Amino acid sequence: QVQLVESGGGLAQPGGSLRLSCAASGFTFSKYSMSWARQAPGKGREWLGAIYNDNYTEYPDSVKGRFTISEDNAKTTVYLQMNRLKPEDTAVYYCNAVLASVYDYWGQGTQVTVSS
């Protein structure tokens, strides 16, 4: 069965860094675009960026320059490197796998808390 398992969340100080991982299984990883999103309490889910089959990445202005998405095809794992963290980054972070408009999978999420 399809599984996306996020890990690496925790507590970070403002200005600090965290690296999240998403281990994927149960589908052909190389065929999917992978993305990250987050959801803070009382807010909608916010898209954080994506990596595509040609390794092209894109990010919204809100995280551009601070967050970087990468992947390891051999390990079928996608990463989200987060730098210069802010308290506003506190949220549950999810990874997402998409194939065209047909398949759309989500993980359970990992909590990130940024606080001094």
Side-chain angles (χ1 to χ4, degrees), residues 87-107:
E88 306 92 270
D89 294 321
T90 297
V92 177
Y93 284 69
Y94 301 90
C95 66
N96 173 224
V98 176
L99 178 59
S101 298
V102 179
Y103 298 103
D104 187 355
Y105 304 113
W106 292 88

Side-chain angles (χ1 to χ4, degrees), residues 20-22 29 34 36 51 69-71 76-80:
L20 306 183
S21 298
C22 175
F29 183 80
M34 303 295 297
W36 288 90
I51 185 166
I69 296 172
S70 61
E71 64 184 3
T76 63
T77 299
V78 62
Y79 305 95
L80 178 65

